[in-house]
Amino acid sequence: MRILDKYILKEFIGPFLFGVCAFTSVFVGTGTLYRIANLINQYGASMWAAFRILVLALPSIIVITFPMSVLLGSLMAFGRMSAASEIIVMRSGGQNFPRLAMPIFITALCISLGTTAFNEFVVPKANNAYNRIINEEVKAGAQPTTQDHIILKNVKGSDISSLMYARQYDGQEKRLKDLTVQEFDNDVLTRVEKADYAEWDGDKWIMHKGIIYDLSGGDEQQVTRTMTFNHQTLPISQKPNKMAESQKKPDELTIRELKEQIKVLDNNSVDTNKMKVELFNRFSMPLASLVCALVGAPLGLQKQRGSSSIGFGISVIVIFIYYSIMTISNALGNGGRIPPYVAAFLPDVITGIAGIWLIYKKSR
């Protein structure tokens, strides 16, 4: 790495880390602490539980602040060097602007890749633990009596042995309604069972009034035998008091688990637009760090001396525009007005095009 690259990267790292701390503090102060205070007032949450909730809320917040911090860091780095006329000296030495900004672009790309991994392996587990503490410790296991779209699975090793979908679970009657069960052998679908409902008999779930479809193996699976039944044991052993706890929200699922749930819900004609938008957001949100660097670097160039407050103000405006576009596009995607992948990547596309245009303009 050249000395000049190290120097530019050093100018970027400081504001970037400051941005992570500052923006995280804003999100914690305006949202998370308020929710924790409500849990303490309404449910008498202990200070230990409140502390763990605060810590577990941080990963999902940090993921959101990375693009903001990259924007602030790149904008303030080039803003300071531009105000000190260092950019003029660098360019007079034969360095064009894209080459000067390349260390920040590469760093932003690494941050995007790291955020994708962090969003896959850390954030879902943290969100799951966060909700578990609230439901099991703070709210003393209070769960809604009725839940829609229940998905349960049995796993042997790394393969799924059975997968169940129920359109509704009635906690008072301990009844699953409108079931579809898929059974697998070596990750190959071998049997599909459908039933009107299933009831808990104190030891296991019993399905009632259903039909079984045995499937042949091979690439094109076909129904080889059909049987009806009045009573059949459900190949899922989840107890009723654990039923609600086993249902994860989309932000608690990994990419693989999201794909599995989307496939199950699609097969049962359930609207999955919201989950598909969430799936594509797992890739588009980390990519925002790179596109924010494309915008921030050229915006930092100034013809006259300026203060760091100008750079901070510009970054706030750009962040507001980006998240406004993201909010609108995600809402349209959730409602089915636009395809989910368009809804997720539209903010990145618009911001990336703006960044490339600004780089081209500043390079001339």
Side-chain angles (χ1 to χ4, degrees), residues 259-306:
K259 290 180 177 178
E260 290 175 354
Q261 289 215 3
I262 289 171
K263 184 178 180 180
V264 171
L265 294 174
D266 279 340
N267 290 337
N268 288 274
S269 302
V270 178
D271 183 10
T272 57
N273 284 324
K274 190 172 183 178
M275 295 189 71
K276 289 177 180 177
V277 171
E278 170 68 21
L279 176 63
F280 288 112
N281 276 339
R282 296 294 177 90
F283 301 98
S284 65
M285 194 65 193
L287 185 61
S289 295
L290 177 59
V291 299
C292 282
L294 296 177
V295 172
L299 281 179
L301 296 181
Q302 308 171 36
K303 293 184 179 180
Q304 67 281 346
R305 296 179 182 270

Side-chain angles (χ1 to χ4, degrees), residues 307-327:
S307 64
S308 58
S309 61
I310 296 177
F312 190 83
I314 294 175
S315 66
V316 170
I317 294 173
V318 175
I319 289 167
F320 174 77
I321 294 173
Y322 177 88
Y323 282 98
S324 296
I325 297 172
M326 185 181 72
T327 301

